[in-house]
Every structure is written in C-alpha cells, then in structure tokens.
Amino acid sequence: MLDARNLSVRYGKHLALNDVSIKVGHGECVVILGANGAGKSTLLRGLTSMVPIASEGDVLFLDRHIGGIAPQKVVEIGIAHVPEGRGVFTEMTVDENLRLGANPRRAREGAEGRRKEVLALFPRLAERQRQRVGTMSGGEQQMVAVARALMSKPDLLLLDEPSLGLAPIVVGELFQALKRVRDSGMSMLVVEQNVRASLSIASRGYLLEAGRIVGEGAANTLMDDPGVRKAFLGH
Ligand code: ATP
C-alpha cells in the first residue's frame, strides 16, 4: 500500500530525517517508535508533503508516485493524517466535526452510512454526538480526531502520537477503539512513544532514532528488543 524509500528532510542545516525507508501493507498496522525529537512527526509530514523531502526520496502509494504531491490533494488520494495535537474543531459538536470530515470529494457519496459505521467503532462518541468537542476529555477529543479522519474514506490512516498527554487508563480505552479500527481492515501507520500501547495494536514496527531507522521487526519481537527496552521501558 505504502512504500516510502530514502526519505530525508532538512530544516535548514538540521537533518531531521535521514534516508528513511518504510512500508505498510494492505490492512496492516505499522508503528514507528521514537523518543522526543526522533523525527516521527517529520516522517508523517514528509509522507503527506507538509514538508519537502530531498530529491532522492520516493513515495509510492497504491503503486502511484506521490512524492511532492500538493498537500491538499493527499486526502483525495486516500491518505488521512491525524496530526499531533488532534486538530479538531473545539467549538463544534462531535456530529459537526464528523460531517466536515466527509467534505472531500471522494467521501461525499455514502457519507451517512459511513457515519454510522464510524460511530459503531466509537460508541462513546455515538452517545455524545451533540456535545461540543471543547468540553470533552483529551481521550474523547482524540477519538473525534480519528473518527473525523475515517469520515474522509481513507485507504491509509496516519496517526501522530495519539496517546500524547493522555492518562494511562484513557490511553487503554483509546487503543481499544484503535484496535476496532484496525480490525475493520483499515491500513494504519502510527508514530508513538508509548511502546506497550502501540505494539498492542501493531503487527510490525520500526525504531526511529535521531532521524534514522535503527531497528525493525514483528511487534512481539520488538517488545523484547534490548534497544527498545533500554530506550523506552527503562530497563
Ligand atoms: P516529538 O514527539 O517531540 O514531536 P518527533 O519524533 O515527532 O518528536 P519531530 O517533531 O519530527 O520529532 O522533530 C525532529 C527534529 O526536527 C527535532 O530535532 C526538532 O527540533 C526538529 N524540527 C521539527 N520541526 C522543525 C521546524 N519546523 N524547524 C526546525 N526544526 C524542526
């Protein structure tokens, strides 16, 4: 589904992403594990053209070269990006946020049916459709962000640190919901610092350190990887 090769991103003199190659298969949930500043957000921004990638890089999505595509076209080709900090409309209700999510051309047909499917994945939102998003908890707002992204009818969902700033119990609830999204067949690329939560839903992962991929493997082997344990689990 996604085959990104040799991606490098510079911010001025700083090389934030250094020759990174990753793949996501159809229906696969892949996690990029990295500490603060490792380049996780930069990788997602590079994939969606929010920052320019160096010329040797190439991004294939559904067998089409999309490197350098206009950022506003990304959603129309089937990639939904939930940025760090969620980007939900806090003055609007859950329902209004979801309806806005169906605004891209590809998503207009069948939007009502999709809204029902999405609400079935997030029962907590189904109960609160008329609630203003700004009055909801951080975990619920993150659910709104993911649900709104799903309304755009994506083939691939990119999630930037969904657990950020959430209490452990809320992280558990959110990842239960993300598991349901995965089980619906959605292809997902998740960048995270929360190793346990993200590996609990991923089948495969990559380890990103100072802009470089320094490890990769099946989710169950990564959990026991000495580098991962040392960097993230404190032993
Ligand atoms: P975090 O979890 O802290 O967001 P991250 O892994 O997502 O970390 P990035 O945000 O991708 O990391 O940042 C990677 C590096 O690039 C960091 O050193 C950061 O300071 C730098 N960086 C990020 N955005 C910019 C920018 N717009 N201009 C200059 N440097 C930047």
Side-chain angles (χ1 to χ4, degrees), residues 11-12 14-17 34-43 45 51 84 160-161 164 191 193 208:
Y11 296 115
H14 178 60
L15 186 59
L17 207 62
N36 272 331
K40 304 182 299 298
S41 302
T42 300
L43 171 57
R45 289 190 202 121
V51 293
E84 193 176 307
D160 194 341
E161 273 201 66
L164 191 73
V191 308
Q193 296 196 46
L208 187 67

mmCIF file with all atom_site columns, all heavy atoms in Angstrom, residues 11-12 14-17 34-43 45 51 84 160-161 164 191 193 208, ligand 1:
data_model
loop_
_atom_site.group_PDB
_atom_site.id
_atom_site.type_symbol
_atom_site.label_atom_id
_atom_site.label_alt_id
_atom_site.label_comp_id
_atom_site.label_asym_id
_atom_site.label_entity_id
_atom_site.label_seq_id
_atom_site.pdbx_PDB_ins_code
_atom_site.Cartn_x
_atom_site.Cartn_y
_atom_site.Cartn_z
_atom_site.occupancy
_atom_site.B_iso_or_equiv
_atom_site.pdbx_formal_charge
_atom_site.auth_seq_id
_atom_site.auth_comp_id
_atom_site.auth_asym_id
_atom_site.auth_atom_id
_atom_site.pdbx_PDB_model_num
ATOM   1   N N   . TYR A 1 11  ? 15.570 20.711 8.038  1.00 0.00 ? 11  TYR A N   1
ATOM   2   C CA  . TYR A 1 11  ? 15.066 22.015 8.470  1.00 0.00 ? 11  TYR A CA  1
ATOM   3   C C   . TYR A 1 11  ? 16.301 22.912 8.519  1.00 0.00 ? 11  TYR A C   1
ATOM   4   O O   . TYR A 1 11  ? 17.082 22.817 9.460  1.00 0.00 ? 11  TYR A O   1
ATOM   5   C CB  . TYR A 1 11  ? 14.427 21.931 9.851  1.00 0.00 ? 11  TYR A CB  1
ATOM   6   C CG  . TYR A 1 11  ? 13.195 21.044 9.923  1.00 0.00 ? 11  TYR A CG  1
ATOM   7   C CD1 . TYR A 1 11  ? 13.205 19.877 10.685 1.00 0.00 ? 11  TYR A CD1 1
ATOM   8   C CD2 . TYR A 1 11  ? 12.024 21.382 9.255  1.00 0.00 ? 11  TYR A CD2 1
ATOM   9   C CE1 . TYR A 1 11  ? 12.071 19.069 10.770 1.00 0.00 ? 11  TYR A CE1 1
ATOM   10  C CE2 . TYR A 1 11  ? 10.892 20.574 9.335  1.00 0.00 ? 11  TYR A CE2 1
ATOM   11  C CZ  . TYR A 1 11  ? 10.920 19.426 10.092 1.00 0.00 ? 11  TYR A CZ  1
ATOM   12  O OH  . TYR A 1 11  ? 9.806  18.623 10.174 1.00 0.00 ? 11  TYR A OH  1
ATOM   13  N N   . GLY A 1 12  ? 16.532 23.714 7.500  1.00 0.00 ? 12  GLY A N   1
ATOM   14  C CA  . GLY A 1 12  ? 17.775 24.484 7.426  1.00 0.00 ? 12  GLY A CA  1
ATOM   15  C C   . GLY A 1 12  ? 18.950 23.513 7.397  1.00 0.00 ? 12  GLY A C   1
ATOM   16  O O   . GLY A 1 12  ? 19.005 22.631 6.545  1.00 0.00 ? 12  GLY A O   1
ATOM   17  N N   . HIS A 1 14  ? 19.643 21.390 9.808  1.00 0.00 ? 14  HIS A N   1
ATOM   18  C CA  . HIS A 1 14  ? 19.367 20.215 10.636 1.00 0.00 ? 14  HIS A CA  1
ATOM   19  C C   . HIS A 1 14  ? 18.715 19.103 9.807  1.00 0.00 ? 14  HIS A C   1
ATOM   20  O O   . HIS A 1 14  ? 17.657 19.294 9.211  1.00 0.00 ? 14  HIS A O   1
ATOM   21  C CB  . HIS A 1 14  ? 18.449 20.621 11.800 1.00 0.00 ? 14  HIS A CB  1
ATOM   22  C CG  . HIS A 1 14  ? 18.080 19.478 12.680 1.00 0.00 ? 14  HIS A CG  1
ATOM   23  N ND1 . HIS A 1 14  ? 19.013 18.735 13.357 1.00 0.00 ? 14  HIS A ND1 1
ATOM   24  C CD2 . HIS A 1 14  ? 16.878 18.934 12.982 1.00 0.00 ? 14  HIS A CD2 1
ATOM   25  C CE1 . HIS A 1 14  ? 18.407 17.788 14.046 1.00 0.00 ? 14  HIS A CE1 1
ATOM   26  N NE2 . HIS A 1 14  ? 17.105 17.890 13.828 1.00 0.00 ? 14  HIS A NE2 1
ATOM   27  N N   . LEU A 1 15  ? 19.385 17.943 9.767  1.00 0.00 ? 15  LEU A N   1
ATOM   28  C CA  . LEU A 1 15  ? 18.847 16.792 9.045  1.00 0.00 ? 15  LEU A CA  1
ATOM   29  C C   . LEU A 1 15  ? 17.930 16.033 10.002 1.00 0.00 ? 15  LEU A C   1
ATOM   30  O O   . LEU A 1 15  ? 18.371 15.245 10.832 1.00 0.00 ? 15  LEU A O   1
ATOM   31  C CB  . LEU A 1 15  ? 20.016 15.908 8.581  1.00 0.00 ? 15  LEU A CB  1
ATOM   32  C CG  . LEU A 1 15  ? 19.699 14.720 7.682  1.00 0.00 ? 15  LEU A CG  1
ATOM   33  C CD1 . LEU A 1 15  ? 19.013 15.141 6.393  1.00 0.00 ? 15  LEU A CD1 1
ATOM   34  C CD2 . LEU A 1 15  ? 20.987 13.945 7.370  1.00 0.00 ? 15  LEU A CD2 1
ATOM   35  N N   . ALA A 1 16  ? 16.611 16.293 9.909  1.00 0.00 ? 16  ALA A N   1
ATOM   36  C CA  . ALA A 1 16  ? 15.662 15.713 10.875 1.00 0.00 ? 16  ALA A CA  1
ATOM   37  C C   . ALA A 1 16  ? 15.276 14.294 10.495 1.00 0.00 ? 16  ALA A C   1
ATOM   38  O O   . ALA A 1 16  ? 14.900 13.500 11.360 1.00 0.00 ? 16  ALA A O   1
ATOM   39  C CB  . ALA A 1 16  ? 14.415 16.590 10.969 1.00 0.00 ? 16  ALA A CB  1
ATOM   40  N N   . LEU A 1 17  ? 15.362 13.971 9.205  1.00 0.00 ? 17  LEU A N   1
ATOM   41  C CA  . LEU A 1 17  ? 15.047 12.622 8.730  1.00 0.00 ? 17  LEU A CA  1
ATOM   42  C C   . LEU A 1 17  ? 16.151 12.221 7.761  1.00 0.00 ? 17  LEU A C   1
ATOM   43  O O   . LEU A 1 17  ? 16.452 12.963 6.829  1.00 0.00 ? 17  LEU A O   1
ATOM   44  C CB  . LEU A 1 17  ? 13.689 12.641 8.005  1.00 0.00 ? 17  LEU A CB  1
ATOM   45  C CG  . LEU A 1 17  ? 12.900 11.351 8.010  1.00 0.00 ? 17  LEU A CG  1
ATOM   46  C CD1 . LEU A 1 17  ? 12.534 10.951 9.432  1.00 0.00 ? 17  LEU A CD1 1
ATOM   47  C CD2 . LEU A 1 17  ? 11.628 11.517 7.184  1.00 0.00 ? 17  LEU A CD2 1
ATOM   48  N N   . GLY A 1 34  ? 9.671  6.080  18.495 1.00 0.00 ? 34  GLY A N   1
ATOM   49  C CA  . GLY A 1 34  ? 10.779 7.026  18.586 1.00 0.00 ? 34  GLY A CA  1
ATOM   50  C C   . GLY A 1 34  ? 10.569 7.958  19.760 1.00 0.00 ? 34  GLY A C   1
ATOM   51  O O   . GLY A 1 34  ? 9.431  8.276  20.122 1.00 0.00 ? 34  GLY A O   1
ATOM   52  N N   . ALA A 1 35  ? 11.664 8.387  20.371 1.00 0.00 ? 35  ALA A N   1
ATOM   53  C CA  . ALA A 1 35  ? 11.594 9.296  21.511 1.00 0.00 ? 35  ALA A CA  1
ATOM   54  C C   . ALA A 1 35  ? 11.302 10.717 21.015 1.00 0.00 ? 35  ALA A C   1
ATOM   55  O O   . ALA A 1 35  ? 11.211 10.956 19.808 1.00 0.00 ? 35  ALA A O   1
ATOM   56  C CB  . ALA A 1 35  ? 12.914 9.247  22.271 1.00 0.00 ? 35  ALA A CB  1
ATOM   57  N N   . ASN A 1 36  ? 11.203 11.659 21.935 1.00 0.00 ? 36  ASN A N   1
ATOM   58  C CA  . ASN A 1 36  ? 11.026 13.073 21.575 1.00 0.00 ? 36  ASN A CA  1
ATOM   59  C C   . ASN A 1 36  ? 12.107 13.502 20.601 1.00 0.00 ? 36  ASN A C   1
ATOM   60  O O   . ASN A 1 36  ? 13.283 13.274 20.849 1.00 0.00 ? 36  ASN A O   1
ATOM   61  C CB  . ASN A 1 36  ? 11.166 13.960 22.822 1.00 0.00 ? 36  ASN A CB  1
ATOM   62  C CG  . ASN A 1 36  ? 9.841  14.110 23.524 1.00 0.00 ? 36  ASN A CG  1
ATOM   63  O OD1 . ASN A 1 36  ? 8.791  14.048 22.887 1.00 0.00 ? 36  ASN A OD1 1
ATOM   64  N ND2 . ASN A 1 36  ? 9.900  14.307 24.823 1.00 0.00 ? 36  ASN A ND2 1
ATOM   65  N N   . GLY A 1 37  ? 11.688 14.132 19.516 1.00 0.00 ? 37  GLY A N   1
ATOM   66  C CA  . GLY A 1 37  ? 12.674 14.696 18.590 1.00 0.00 ? 37  GLY A CA  1
ATOM   67  C C   . GLY A 1 37  ? 13.305 13.679 17.650 1.00 0.00 ? 37  GLY A C   1
ATOM   68  O O   . GLY A 1 37  ? 14.194 14.022 16.871 1.00 0.00 ? 37  GLY A O   1
ATOM   69  N N   . ALA A 1 38  ? 12.858 12.426 17.678 1.00 0.00 ? 38  ALA A N   1
ATOM   70  C CA  . ALA A 1 38  ? 13.460 11.391 16.816 1.00 0.00 ? 38  ALA A CA  1
ATOM   71  C C   . ALA A 1 38  ? 13.150 11.631 15.337 1.00 0.00 ? 38  ALA A C   1
ATOM   72  O O   . ALA A 1 38  ? 13.865 11.128 14.464 1.00 0.00 ? 38  ALA A O   1
ATOM   73  C CB  . ALA A 1 38  ? 12.956 10.012 17.229 1.00 0.00 ? 38  ALA A CB  1
ATOM   74  N N   . GLY A 1 39  ? 12.084 12.376 15.067 1.00 0.00 ? 39  GLY A N   1
ATOM   75  C CA  . GLY A 1 39  ? 11.729 12.656 13.677 1.00 0.00 ? 39  GLY A CA  1
ATOM   76  C C   . GLY A 1 39  ? 10.406 12.018 13.258 1.00 0.00 ? 39  GLY A C   1
ATOM   77  O O   . GLY A 1 39  ? 10.080 11.968 12.066 1.00 0.00 ? 39  GLY A O   1
ATOM   78  N N   . LYS A 1 40  ? 9.623  11.569 14.229 1.00 0.00 ? 40  LYS A N   1
ATOM   79  C CA  . LYS A 1 40  ? 8.366  10.863 13.925 1.00 0.00 ? 40  LYS A CA  1
ATOM   80  C C   . LYS A 1 40  ? 7.385  11.763 13.169 1.00 0.00 ? 40  LYS A C   1
ATOM   81  O O   . LYS A 1 40  ? 6.846  11.385 12.135 1.00 0.00 ? 40  LYS A O   1
ATOM   82  C CB  . LYS A 1 40  ? 7.699  10.350 15.225 1.00 0.00 ? 40  LYS A CB  1
ATOM   83  C CG  . LYS A 1 40  ? 8.595  9.459  16.070 1.00 0.00 ? 40  LYS A CG  1
ATOM   84  C CD  . LYS A 1 40  ? 7.876  8.942  17.304 1.00 0.00 ? 40  LYS A CD  1
ATOM   85  C CE  . LYS A 1 40  ? 7.404  10.026 18.271 1.00 0.00 ? 40  LYS A CE  1
ATOM   86  N NZ  . LYS A 1 40  ? 8.498  10.839 18.850 1.00 0.00 ? 40  LYS A NZ  1
ATOM   87  N N   . SER A 1 41  ? 7.146  12.962 13.730 1.00 0.00 ? 41  SER A N   1
ATOM   88  C CA  . SER A 1 41  ? 6.203  13.874 13.066 1.00 0.00 ? 41  SER A CA  1
ATOM   89  C C   . SER A 1 41  ? 6.738  14.284 11.704 1.00 0.00 ? 41  SER A C   1
ATOM   90  O O   . SER A 1 41  ? 5.971  14.420 10.737 1.00 0.00 ? 41  SER A O   1
ATOM   91  C CB  . SER A 1 41  ? 5.979  15.141 13.901 1.00 0.00 ? 41  SER A CB  1
ATOM   92  O OG  . SER A 1 41  ? 5.492  14.805 15.167 1.00 0.00 ? 41  SER A OG  1
ATOM   93  N N   . THR A 1 42  ? 8.043  14.472 11.624 1.00 0.00 ? 42  THR A N   1
ATOM   94  C CA  . THR A 1 42  ? 8.656  14.874 10.355 1.00 0.00 ? 42  THR A CA  1
ATOM   95  C C   . THR A 1 42  ? 8.434  13.802 9.290  1.00 0.00 ? 42  THR A C   1
ATOM   96  O O   . THR A 1 42  ? 8.163  14.115 8.124  1.00 0.00 ? 42  THR A O   1
ATOM   97  C CB  . THR A 1 42  ? 10.156 15.144 10.564 1.00 0.00 ? 42  THR A CB  1
ATOM   98  O OG1 . THR A 1 42  ? 10.295 16.185 11.527 1.00 0.00 ? 42  THR A OG1 1
ATOM   99  C CG2 . THR A 1 42  ? 10.843 15.544 9.273  1.00 0.00 ? 42  THR A CG2 1
ATOM   100 N N   . LEU A 1 43  ? 8.518  12.532 9.689  1.00 0.00 ? 43  LEU A N   1
ATOM   101 C CA  . LEU A 1 43  ? 8.289  11.448 8.742  1.00 0.00 ? 43  LEU A CA  1
ATOM   102 C C   . LEU A 1 43  ? 6.865  11.530 8.186  1.00 0.00 ? 43  LEU A C   1
ATOM   103 O O   . LEU A 1 43  ? 6.652  11.473 6.961  1.00 0.00 ? 43  LEU A O   1
ATOM   104 C CB  . LEU A 1 43  ? 8.524  10.098 9.434  1.00 0.00 ? 43  LEU A CB  1
ATOM   105 C CG  . LEU A 1 43  ? 8.116  8.850  8.653  1.00 0.00 ? 43  LEU A CG  1
ATOM   106 C CD1 . LEU A 1 43  ? 8.826  8.772  7.308  1.00 0.00 ? 43  LEU A CD1 1
ATOM   107 C CD2 . LEU A 1 43  ? 8.397  7.585  9.458  1.00 0.00 ? 43  LEU A CD2 1
ATOM   108 N N   . ARG A 1 45  ? 4.929  14.124 8.126  1.00 0.00 ? 45  ARG A N   1
ATOM   109 C CA  . ARG A 1 45  ? 4.800  15.355 7.324  1.00 0.00 ? 45  ARG A CA  1
ATOM   110 C C   . ARG A 1 45  ? 5.449  15.183 5.955  1.00 0.00 ? 45  ARG A C   1
ATOM   111 O O   . ARG A 1 45  ? 4.964  15.717 4.962  1.00 0.00 ? 45  ARG A O   1
ATOM   112 C CB  . ARG A 1 45  ? 5.449  16.531 8.057  1.00 0.00 ? 45  ARG A CB  1
ATOM   113 C CG  . ARG A 1 45  ? 4.658  16.970 9.266  1.00 0.00 ? 45  ARG A CG  1
ATOM   114 C CD  . ARG A 1 45  ? 5.216  18.292 9.815  1.00 0.00 ? 45  ARG A CD  1
ATOM   115 N NE  . ARG A 1 45  ? 4.851  18.449 11.199 1.00 0.00 ? 45  ARG A NE  1
ATOM   116 C CZ  . ARG A 1 45  ? 5.707  18.587 12.214 1.00 0.00 ? 45  ARG A CZ  1
ATOM   117 N NH1 . ARG A 1 45  ? 7.012  18.618 11.984 1.00 0.00 ? 45  ARG A NH1 1
ATOM   118 N NH2 . ARG A 1 45  ? 5.270  18.710 13.437 1.00 0.00 ? 45  ARG A NH2 1
ATOM   119 N N   . VAL A 1 51  ? 6.113  18.871 4.547  1.00 0.00 ? 51  VAL A N   1
ATOM   120 C CA  . VAL A 1 51  ? 7.480  19.380 4.454  1.00 0.00 ? 51  VAL A CA  1
ATOM   121 C C   . VAL A 1 51  ? 8.099  18.732 3.211  1.00 0.00 ? 51  VAL A C   1
ATOM   122 O O   . VAL A 1 51  ? 7.730  17.608 2.852  1.00 0.00 ? 51  VAL A O   1
ATOM   123 C CB  . VAL A 1 51  ? 8.344  19.046 5.702  1.00 0.00 ? 51  VAL A CB  1
ATOM   124 C CG1 . VAL A 1 51  ? 7.849  19.773 6.932  1.00 0.00 ? 51  VAL A CG1 1
ATOM   125 C CG2 . VAL A 1 51  ? 8.409  17.547 5.960  1.00 0.00 ? 51  VAL A CG2 1
ATOM   126 N N   . GLU A 1 84  ? -0.323 15.519 15.409 1.00 0.00 ? 84  GLU A N   1
ATOM   127 C CA  . GLU A 1 84  ? -0.139 15.645 16.853 1.00 0.00 ? 84  GLU A CA  1
ATOM   128 C C   . GLU A 1 84  ? -0.967 16.847 17.306 1.00 0.00 ? 84  GLU A C   1
ATOM   129 O O   . GLU A 1 84  ? -1.030 17.865 16.626 1.00 0.00 ? 84  GLU A O   1
ATOM   130 C CB  . GLU A 1 84  ? 1.355  15.914 17.098 1.00 0.00 ? 84  GLU A CB  1
ATOM   131 C CG  . GLU A 1 84  ? 1.790  15.769 18.511 1.00 0.00 ? 84  GLU A CG  1
ATOM   132 C CD  . GLU A 1 84  ? 3.306  15.958 18.630 1.00 0.00 ? 84  GLU A CD  1
ATOM   133 O OE1 . GLU A 1 84  ? 4.068  15.289 17.913 1.00 0.00 ? 84  GLU A OE1 1
ATOM   134 O OE2 . GLU A 1 84  ? 3.705  16.797 19.453 1.00 0.00 ? 84  GLU A OE2 1
ATOM   135 N N   . ASP A 1 160 ? -0.415 10.565 14.450 1.00 0.00 ? 160 ASP A N   1
ATOM   136 C CA  . ASP A 1 160 ? 0.772  11.134 15.095 1.00 0.00 ? 160 ASP A CA  1
ATOM   137 C C   . ASP A 1 160 ? 0.567  11.173 16.609 1.00 0.00 ? 160 ASP A C   1
ATOM   138 O O   . ASP A 1 160 ? -0.209 11.990 17.111 1.00 0.00 ? 160 ASP A O   1
ATOM   139 C CB  . ASP A 1 160 ? 1.038  12.540 14.547 1.00 0.00 ? 160 ASP A CB  1
ATOM   140 C CG  . ASP A 1 160 ? 2.440  13.038 14.921 1.00 0.00 ? 160 ASP A CG  1
ATOM   141 O OD1 . ASP A 1 160 ? 3.040  12.479 15.864 1.00 0.00 ? 160 ASP A OD1 1
ATOM   142 O OD2 . ASP A 1 160 ? 2.917  13.982 14.271 1.00 0.00 ? 160 ASP A OD2 1
ATOM   143 N N   . GLU A 1 161 ? 1.234  10.292 17.299 1.00 0.00 ? 161 GLU A N   1
ATOM   144 C CA  . GLU A 1 161 ? 1.209  10.201 18.764 1.00 0.00 ? 161 GLU A CA  1
ATOM   145 C C   . GLU A 1 161 ? -0.177 10.353 19.381 1.00 0.00 ? 161 GLU A C   1
ATOM   146 O O   . GLU A 1 161 ? -0.423 11.293 20.144 1.00 0.00 ? 161 GLU A O   1
ATOM   147 C CB  . GLU A 1 161 ? 2.163  11.239 19.371 1.00 0.00 ? 161 GLU A CB  1
ATOM   148 C CG  . GLU A 1 161 ? 3.558  10.669 19.473 1.00 0.00 ? 161 GLU A CG  1
ATOM   149 C CD  . GLU A 1 161 ? 4.425  11.379 20.490 1.00 0.00 ? 161 GLU A CD  1
ATOM   150 O OE1 . GLU A 1 161 ? 4.109  11.303 21.688 1.00 0.00 ? 161 GLU A OE1 1
ATOM   151 O OE2 . GLU A 1 161 ? 5.414  11.993 20.071 1.00 0.00 ? 161 GLU A OE2 1
ATOM   152 N N   . LEU A 1 164 ? -0.529 11.034 23.209 1.00 0.00 ? 164 LEU A N   1
ATOM   153 C CA  . LEU A 1 164 ? 0.149  12.185 23.823 1.00 0.00 ? 164 LEU A CA  1
ATOM   154 C C   . LEU A 1 164 ? -0.745 12.927 24.822 1.00 0.00 ? 164 LEU A C   1
ATOM   155 O O   . LEU A 1 164 ? -1.862 13.327 24.493 1.00 0.00 ? 164 LEU A O   1
ATOM   156 C CB  . LEU A 1 164 ? 0.601  13.153 22.723 1.00 0.00 ? 164 LEU A CB  1
ATOM   157 C CG  . LEU A 1 164 ? 1.550  14.261 23.192 1.00 0.00 ? 164 LEU A CG  1
ATOM   158 C CD1 . LEU A 1 164 ? 2.936  13.681 23.473 1.00 0.00 ? 164 LEU A CD1 1
ATOM   159 C CD2 . LEU A 1 164 ? 1.653  15.363 22.146 1.00 0.00 ? 164 LEU A CD2 1
ATOM   160 N N   . VAL A 1 191 ? 2.741  6.699  14.683 1.00 0.00 ? 191 VAL A N   1
ATOM   161 C CA  . VAL A 1 191 ? 4.020  7.033  15.322 1.00 0.00 ? 191 VAL A CA  1
ATOM   162 C C   . VAL A 1 191 ? 3.745  7.268  16.801 1.00 0.00 ? 191 VAL A C   1
ATOM   163 O O   . VAL A 1 191 ? 2.749  7.889  17.167 1.00 0.00 ? 191 VAL A O   1
ATOM   164 C CB  . VAL A 1 191 ? 4.736  8.246  14.667 1.00 0.00 ? 191 VAL A CB  1
ATOM   165 C CG1 . VAL A 1 191 ? 4.870  8.059  13.170 1.00 0.00 ? 191 VAL A CG1 1
ATOM   166 C CG2 . VAL A 1 191 ? 4.074  9.567  14.973 1.00 0.00 ? 191 VAL A CG2 1
ATOM   167 N N   . GLN A 1 193 ? 5.439  7.127  21.164 1.00 0.00 ? 193 GLN A N   1
ATOM   168 C CA  . GLN A 1 193 ? 6.461  6.878  22.188 1.00 0.00 ? 193 GLN A CA  1
ATOM   169 C C   . GLN A 1 193 ? 5.964  5.804  23.140 1.00 0.00 ? 193 GLN A C   1
ATOM   170 O O   . GLN A 1 193 ? 6.736  5.227  23.887 1.00 0.00 ? 193 GLN A O   1
ATOM   171 C CB  . GLN A 1 193 ? 6.686  8.130  23.023 1.00 0.00 ? 193 GLN A CB  1
ATOM   172 C CG  . GLN A 1 193 ? 7.235  9.280  22.257 1.00 0.00 ? 193 GLN A CG  1
ATOM   173 C CD  . GLN A 1 193 ? 7.794  10.324 23.191 1.00 0.00 ? 193 GLN A CD  1
ATOM   174 O OE1 . GLN A 1 193 ? 8.509  10.019 24.129 1.00 0.00 ? 193 GLN A OE1 1
ATOM   175 N NE2 . GLN A 1 193 ? 7.453  11.565 22.929 1.00 0.00 ? 193 GLN A NE2 1
ATOM   176 N N   . LEU A 1 208 ? 12.908 4.428  15.340 1.00 0.00 ? 208 LEU A N   1
ATOM   177 C CA  . LEU A 1 208 ? 13.489 5.643  14.757 1.00 0.00 ? 208 LEU A CA  1
ATOM   178 C C   . LEU A 1 208 ? 14.294 6.363  15.828 1.00 0.00 ? 208 LEU A C   1
ATOM   179 O O   . LEU A 1 208 ? 13.792 6.619  16.933 1.00 0.00 ? 208 LEU A O   1
ATOM   180 C CB  . LEU A 1 208 ? 12.353 6.544  14.246 1.00 0.00 ? 208 LEU A CB  1
ATOM   181 C CG  . LEU A 1 208 ? 12.718 7.792  13.467 1.00 0.00 ? 208 LEU A CG  1
ATOM   182 C CD1 . LEU A 1 208 ? 13.350 7.439  12.118 1.00 0.00 ? 208 LEU A CD1 1
ATOM   183 C CD2 . LEU A 1 208 ? 11.469 8.659  13.217 1.00 0.00 ? 208 LEU A CD2 1
HETATM 184 P P1  . ATP B 2 .   ? 8.054  14.931 19.278 1.00 0.00 ? 1   ATP B P1  1
HETATM 185 O O1  . ATP B 2 .   ? 7.443  13.722 19.835 1.00 0.00 ? 1   ATP B O1  1
HETATM 186 O O2  . ATP B 2 .   ? 8.807  15.725 20.280 1.00 0.00 ? 1   ATP B O2  1
HETATM 187 O O3  . ATP B 2 .   ? 7.180  15.750 18.380 1.00 0.00 ? 1   ATP B O3  1
HETATM 188 P P2  . ATP B 2 .   ? 9.218  13.824 16.880 1.00 0.00 ? 1   ATP B P2  1
HETATM 189 O O4  . ATP B 2 .   ? 9.878  12.495 16.901 1.00 0.00 ? 1   ATP B O4  1
HETATM 190 O O5  . ATP B 2 .   ? 7.877  13.922 16.280 1.00 0.00 ? 1   ATP B O5  1
HETATM 191 O O6  . ATP B 2 .   ? 9.226  14.378 18.356 1.00 0.00 ? 1   ATP B O6  1
HETATM 192 P P3  . ATP B 2 .   ? 9.957  15.894 15.063 1.00 0.00 ? 1   ATP B P3  1
HETATM 193 O O7  . ATP B 2 .   ? 8.903  16.832 15.532 1.00 0.00 ? 1   ATP B O7  1
HETATM 194 O O8  . ATP B 2 .   ? 9.788  15.225 13.776 1.00 0.00 ? 1   ATP B O8  1
HETATM 195 O O9  . ATP B 2 .   ? 10.222 14.788 16.180 1.00 0.00 ? 1   ATP B O9  1
HETATM 196 O O10 . ATP B 2 .   ? 11.336 16.684 15.084 1.00 0.00 ? 1   ATP B O10 1
HETATM 197 C C1  . ATP B 2 .   ? 12.567 16.099 14.654 1.00 0.00 ? 1   ATP B C1  1
HETATM 198 C C2  . ATP B 2 .   ? 13.680 17.125 14.802 1.00 0.00 ? 1   ATP B C2  1
HETATM 199 O O11 . ATP B 2 .   ? 13.472 18.204 13.879 1.00 0.00 ? 1   ATP B O11 1
HETATM 200 C C3  . ATP B 2 .   ? 13.766 17.769 16.170 1.00 0.00 ? 1   ATP B C3  1
HETATM 201 O O12 . ATP B 2 .   ? 15.129 17.970 16.484 1.00 0.00 ? 1   ATP B O12 1
HETATM 202 C C4  . ATP B 2 .   ? 13.053 19.086 16.008 1.00 0.00 ? 1   ATP B C4  1
HETATM 203 O O13 . ATP B 2 .   ? 13.554 20.044 16.911 1.00 0.00 ? 1   ATP B O13 1
HETATM 204 C C5  . ATP B 2 .   ? 13.357 19.447 14.579 1.00 0.00 ? 1   ATP B C5  1
HETATM 205 N N1  . ATP B 2 .   ? 12.266 20.198 13.958 1.00 0.00 ? 1   ATP B N1  1
HETATM 206 C C6  . ATP B 2 .   ? 10.973 19.828 13.860 1.00 0.00 ? 1   ATP B C6  1
HETATM 207 N N2  . ATP B 2 .   ? 10.241 20.751 13.206 1.00 0.00 ? 1   ATP B N2  1
HETATM 208 C C7  . ATP B 2 .   ? 11.098 21.754 12.882 1.00 0.00 ? 1   ATP B C7  1
HETATM 209 C C8  . ATP B 2 .   ? 10.968 23.016 12.201 1.00 0.00 ? 1   ATP B C8  1
HETATM 210 N N3  . ATP B 2 .   ? 9.793  23.398 11.695 1.00 0.00 ? 1   ATP B N3  1
HETATM 211 N N4  . ATP B 2 .   ? 12.073 23.768 12.086 1.00 0.00 ? 1   ATP B N4  1
HETATM 212 C C9  . ATP B 2 .   ? 13.262 23.387 12.565 1.00 0.00 ? 1   ATP B C9  1
HETATM 213 N N5  . ATP B 2 .   ? 13.457 22.202 13.220 1.00 0.00 ? 1   ATP B N5  1
HETATM 214 C C10 . ATP B 2 .   ? 12.402 21.404 13.371 1.00 0.00 ? 1   ATP B C10 1
#
